[in-house]
């Protein structure tokens, strides 16, 4: 990173062991500056929204203390000048995620969801920890500048860099919810809706993408890792989108949508489009935070009802929420000229340049996205109201403190695409130029797509037209034909059943991992803990107790007994003296 583009603020020397010297210092450069704007900007809007959403909650103060602690750790994560500071923030946001998901801990299922998120993140974090040990062993430091400068001297495909990048990617799969560690994020919807918007849409789940972009030179020199990232990313995008097609909980739809969009970001990283992936991080922060807060506004109006089958016709009761969510839906569906179109299309263009197969799979995922998002919009806001009479009487638009953040995010979702408008559309690719200093050591800066303009136009048109067609198909099915999901969750066909039951992935994990571990724990508890350790501890106690019970007889309190013992003692002393004369 050039001196003119980055500044390191050294606070103090922290760890000095042998030749290893780690300082507590912050790095401010184009990448961290943009992340700071996202975290504090979106964070401010969500804080403002939370003032209205959480106003009646008895733990209002506790909620905001957790929320601000999260912001602190997230800022630490992106501002650190070395991997250790990043890791502190990394673990800190994991802790805050646990506290916020399980905020209403008296509900057992919510507490279990928090534990699930915490444990699955720890699996990924182990990869980060081992990666740091390897970095110290190989480079003798964890400072970004020193690591990247030394790494740039390594040959392409070096085995050591392959190991480091694979370990870092394992960490990213946990935090950024990729296969196989993605099942915690849909369950994380147990937390209050502002938590879902902040942590599980705009900031924490993008930490893995940030870490890979920050370490771009390591990954650029490990093409095999990039291929794995692309494959995992596109698979996650497809699977999550497929599951979202039939979900009836409004927040679950958005949760699987988040997993799917994160998959697109990883696809971008895997094909070397680091800037395009970050562009999608940026636009996704706008429209996904908007969609989650809009869903929160609906839930607030429906008195905490999240089942879309019990909604309908809310357009006339919640006009601001409807208009803003419509903008968010159009943006995430990739319909021009909203922000999501430009960022998603740039990733797909890079994918096409590297592998038409990746483009094809990403394109199918985009079709799914457009369909399930408009499905959610139509079921919630169109048709007749399907809730109770009491709910209908209390339907009302959210207060200004909640709708103002929606309006601001809607505007950002509308115009956010201009940040990195492609040259084929007359744009100057401002974001790519702004971020170029962070690719100083990279073999390829990956800021431009090397495709013919005619090819780019065809790809853009295909993506946009397909998204519009899917929106029309969803309208025909859910508005015109009123073909709504069944109240009892009845399924229609094996594919529908697979999607509705989330591909039975949780059940598979339960059978292959959870139950065997529980069984092993019970065996170890009975054989080792109770049979061996407890037996030794209790045996020692029993021996001491039995000996104490015998010796206790010597302290009987009878004077005659003491006189006899005294006489016997004197006799023993005299006898000892005679024998030794």
């Amino acid at each position: 990173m050039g001196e003119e583009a980055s500044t390191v603020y050294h606070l103090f020397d922290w760890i000095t062991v042998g030749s290893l010297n780690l300082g507590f210092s912050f790095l401010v450069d184009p990448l961290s500056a943009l992340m700071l704007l996202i975290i504090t900007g979106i964070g401010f809007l969500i804080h403002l929204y939370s003032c209205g959403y959480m106003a009646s909650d008895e733990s209002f103060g506790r909620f905001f203390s957790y929320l601000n602690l999260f912001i602190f750790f997230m800022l630490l994560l992106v501002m650190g000048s070395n991997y250790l500071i990043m890791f502190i923030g990394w673990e800190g946001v994991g802790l805050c995620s646990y506290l916020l998901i399980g905020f209403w801990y008296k509900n057992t299922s919510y507490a279990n969801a928090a534990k699930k998120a915490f444990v699955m993140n720890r699996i990924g974090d182990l990869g980060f920890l081992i990666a740091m040990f390897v970095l110290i062993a190989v480079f003798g430091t964890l400072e970004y500048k020193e690591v990247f400068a030394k790494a740039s001297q390594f040959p392409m495909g070096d085995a050591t860099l392959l190991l480091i990048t694979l370990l870092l990617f394992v960490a990213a799969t946990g935090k950024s919810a990729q296969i196989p560690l993605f099942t915690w994020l849909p369950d994380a919807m147990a937390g209050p809706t502002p938590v879902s918007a902040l942590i599980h849409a705009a900031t924490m789940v993008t930490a893995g993408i940030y870490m890979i972009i920050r370490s771009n030179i390591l990954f650029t020199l490990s093409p095999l890792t990039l291929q794995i990232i692309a494959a995992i990313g596109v698979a996650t995008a497809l699977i999550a989108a497929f599951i979202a097609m039939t979900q009836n909980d409004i927040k679950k739809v958005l949760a699987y949508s988040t997993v799917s969009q994160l998959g697109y970001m990883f696809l971008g990283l895997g094909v070397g489009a680091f800037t395009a992936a970050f562009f999608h991080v940026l636009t996704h922060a706008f429209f996904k935070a908007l969609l989650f807060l809009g869903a929160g506004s609906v839930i607030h109006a429906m008195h905490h009802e999240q089942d879309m089958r019990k909604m309908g016709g809310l357009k006339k009761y919640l006009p601001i929420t409807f208009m803003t969510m419509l903008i968010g839906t159009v943006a995430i569906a990739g319909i021009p000229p909203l922000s999501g179109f430009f960022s998603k299309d740039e990733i797909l263009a890079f994918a096409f340049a590297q592998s038409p197969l990746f483009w094809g799979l990403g394109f199918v995922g985009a079709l799914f996205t457009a369909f399930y998002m408009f499905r959610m919009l139509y079921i919630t806001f169109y048709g007749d109201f399907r809730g109770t009479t009491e709910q209908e009487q209390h339907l009302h638009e959210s207060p200004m403190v909640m709708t103002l953040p929606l309006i601001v995010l809607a505007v950002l979702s509308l115009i956010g695409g201009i940040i990195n408008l492609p040259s084929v559309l007359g744009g100057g690719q401002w974001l790519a130029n702004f971020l170029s200093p962070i690719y100083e050591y990279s073999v390829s800066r990956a800021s431009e797509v090397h495709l013919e303009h005619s090819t780019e136009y065809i790809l853009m048109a295909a993506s946009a037209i397909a998204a519009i067609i899917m929106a029309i198909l969803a309208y025909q099915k859910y508005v015109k034909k009123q073909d709504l999901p069944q109240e009892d969750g009845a399924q229609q066909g094996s594919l529908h059943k697979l999607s509705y039951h989330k591909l039975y992935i949780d059940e598979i994990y339960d059978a292959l991992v959870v139950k065997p571990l529980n069984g092993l724990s019970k065996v170890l508890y009975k054989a080792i803990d109770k049979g061996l350790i407890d037996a030794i501890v209790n045996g020692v106690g029993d021996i001491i107790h039995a000996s104490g019970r015998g010796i206790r007889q010597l302290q009987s309190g009878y004077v005659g007994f003491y006189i006899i013992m005294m006489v016997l003692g004197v006799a023993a002393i005299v006898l000892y003296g005679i024998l030794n004369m």
Side-chain angles (χ1 to χ4, degrees):
M1 282 149 281
E3 291 298 322
E4 73 288 346
S6 66
T7 306
V8 175
Y9 294 93
H10 181 78
L11 299 182
F12 55 86
D13 291 331
W14 186 20
I15 297 173
T16 304
V17 180
S19 61
L20 178 66
N21 185 17
L22 289 173
F24 200 100
S25 50
F26 296 142
L27 169 67
V28 178
D29 69 348
L31 181 61
S32 60
L34 285 175
M35 285 299 292
L36 291 178
L37 286 173
I38 294 172
I39 295 161
T40 55
I42 304 292
F44 166 72
L45 292 174
I46 291 169
H47 272 70
L48 184 64
Y49 178 95
S50 300
C51 291
Y53 189 86
M54 299 296 290
S56 60
D57 196 283
E58 59 183 13
S59 300
F60 185 83
R62 180 165 61 90
F63 175 80
F64 276 92
S65 66
Y66 291 166
L67 212 58
N68 281 285
L69 185 64
F70 169 80
I71 295 288
F72 167 77
F73 278 122
M74 194 67 210
L75 292 174
L76 200 62
L77 189 155
V78 300
M79 288 179 67
S81 71
N82 57 58
Y83 284 102
L84 188 57
I85 306 292
M86 182 194 278
F87 186 68
I88 296 168
W90 191 274
E91 291 298 297
V93 294
L95 167 67
C96 294
S97 174
Y98 167 76
L99 294 172
L100 286 163
I101 294 166
F103 181 73
W104 290 312
Y105 57 87
K106 291 178 183 176
N107 184 317
T108 306
S109 63
Y110 292 179
N112 288 339
K115 285 189 285 186
K116 181 177 181 180
F118 195 75
V119 170
M120 292 194 84
N121 270 275
R122 295 292 74 70
I123 297 169
D125 295 350
L126 179 62
F128 201 139
L129 203 56
I130 299 171
M132 287 199 297
F133 293 144
V134 178
L135 283 166
I136 292 170
V138 175
F139 300 108
T141 182
L142 291 176
E143 291 289 336
Y144 297 145
K145 281 191 172 184
E146 296 174 40
V147 169
F148 301 157
K150 291 176 181 177
S152 63
Q153 307 302 315
F154 279 63
M156 181 75 75
D158 182 80
T160 306
L161 293 184
L162 176 65
L163 174 63
I164 292 168
T165 51
L166 285 174
L167 287 168
L168 290 175
F169 177 54
V170 168
T173 58
K175 196 67 72 188
S176 296
Q178 297 298 288
I179 294 171
L181 301 177
F182 73 95
T183 56
W184 68 267
L185 192 130
D187 288 8
M189 296 302 108
T193 303
V195 172
S196 306
L198 180 63
I199 295 185
H200 307 116
T203 53
M204 186 185 107
V205 290
T206 58
I209 291 107
Y210 167 79
M211 182 255 287
I212 291 174
I213 296 172
R214 172 63 73 200
S215 313
N216 60 82
I217 177 62
L218 303 179
F219 286 86
T220 304
L221 292 171
S222 304
L224 178 58
T225 304
L226 287 181
Q227 289 175 10
I228 293 169
I229 290 173
I232 293 287
V234 77
T236 305
L238 271 174
I239 287 173
F242 176 69
I243 293 172
M245 298 276 280
T246 57
Q247 300 306 304
N248 297 317
D249 183 316
I250 190 169
K251 285 177 70 177
K252 279 283 170 73
V253 174
L254 293 174
Y256 280 106
S257 166
T258 299
V259 177
S260 183
Q261 296 305 306
L262 289 167
Y264 275 105
M265 295 171 205
F266 275 89
L267 171 61
L269 296 172
V271 296
F274 296 108
T275 299
F278 189 75
F279 185 25
H280 201 53
V281 167
L282 204 62
T283 58
H284 180 261
F286 299 151
F287 57 68
K288 188 51 68 64
L290 165 61
L291 287 164
F292 266 117
L293 295 184
S297 181
V298 170
I299 294 164
H300 183 262
M302 292 287 296
H303 289 273
H304 303 289
E305 177 59 68
Q306 295 180 200
D307 193 334
M308 296 188 298
R309 293 170 298 184
K310 297 176 183 176
M311 297 176 187
L314 297 182
K315 184 169 62 166
K316 60 183 177 183
Y317 300 105
L318 310 170
I320 297 174
T321 302
F322 167 69
M323 280 307 300
T324 52
M325 283 195 79
L326 174 62
I327 290 168
T329 302
V330 173
I332 195 173
I335 297 174
L338 275 72
S339 60
F341 166 74
F342 298 103
S343 56
K344 187 182 289 186
D345 188 74
E346 194 172 337
I347 289 173
L348 289 176
F350 271 98
F352 186 82
Q354 186 173 108
S355 165
L357 174 63
F358 281 152
W359 176 85
L361 294 172
F363 182 75
V364 172
L367 295 183
F368 286 171
T369 301
F371 185 84
Y372 70 68
M373 286 308 301
F374 277 100
R375 170 185 178 269
M376 182 198 78
L377 188 78
Y378 295 146
I379 293 174
T380 304
F381 290 100
Y382 284 76
D384 300 320
F385 185 71
R386 297 180 295 276
T388 64
T389 307
E390 185 183 354
Q391 283 176 326
E392 188 170 15
Q393 288 171 349
H394 291 91
L395 285 174
H396 58 85
E397 185 58 272
S398 299
M400 179 59 74
V401 74
M402 291 171 67
T403 54
L404 184 61
L406 292 178
I407 294 166
V408 174
L409 288 166
V411 172
L412 290 171
S413 300
L414 274 169
I415 64 172
I418 62 173
I419 295 172
N420 200 43
L421 206 62
S423 53
V424 71
L425 294 178
Q429 291 196 311
W430 176 85
L431 183 65
N433 295 326
F434 183 70
L435 289 177
S436 59
I438 71 166
Y439 305 121
E440 181 185 359
Y441 300 112
S442 286
V443 177
S444 168
R445 295 194 177 190
S447 61
E448 289 188 22
V449 190
H450 300 292
L451 290 173
E452 294 292 330
H453 280 193
S454 57
T455 307
E456 285 196 63
Y457 285 132
I458 291 168
L459 293 178
M460 285 182 181
S463 179
I465 292 168
I468 293 168
I469 289 171
M470 296 311 285
I472 293 168
L473 287 175
Y475 184 82
Q476 290 290 330
K477 180 176 175 66
Y478 297 107
V479 181
K480 288 285 188 183
K481 296 180 181 177
Q482 289 285 304
D483 186 10
L484 300 169
Q486 297 297 313
E487 189 67 34
D488 59 356
Q491 306 310 313
Q492 307 157 355
S494 55
L495 276 178
H496 194 289
K497 190 174 182 181
L498 268 176
S499 173
Y500 185 79
H501 290 288
K502 308 161 193 171
L503 295 173
Y504 298 98
I505 292 172
D506 275 313
E507 287 80 359
I508 292 168
Y509 285 176
D510 199 51
L512 295 182
V513 181
V514 178
K515 285 182 179 175
L517 280 176
N518 283 343
L520 179 63
S521 300
K522 287 176 182 175
V523 170
L524 292 175
Y525 170 69
K526 288 177 180 176
I528 306 296
D529 197 26
K530 287 187 76 72
L532 182 62
I533 297 171
D534 280 4
I536 293 170
V537 173
N538 293 337
V540 171
D542 289 341
I543 291 168
I544 293 170
H545 185 262
S547 62
R549 196 163 47 199
I551 296 169
R552 185 177 63 188
Q553 303 303 321
L554 299 176
Q555 299 290 330
S556 62
Y558 293 112
V559 177
F561 176 74
Y562 294 153
I563 292 171
I564 291 170
M565 293 303 293
M566 188 171 65
V567 169
L568 289 174
V570 171
I573 292 169
V574 170
L575 182 62
Y576 177 78
I578 292 169
L579 291 173
N580 285 284
M581 283 181 67

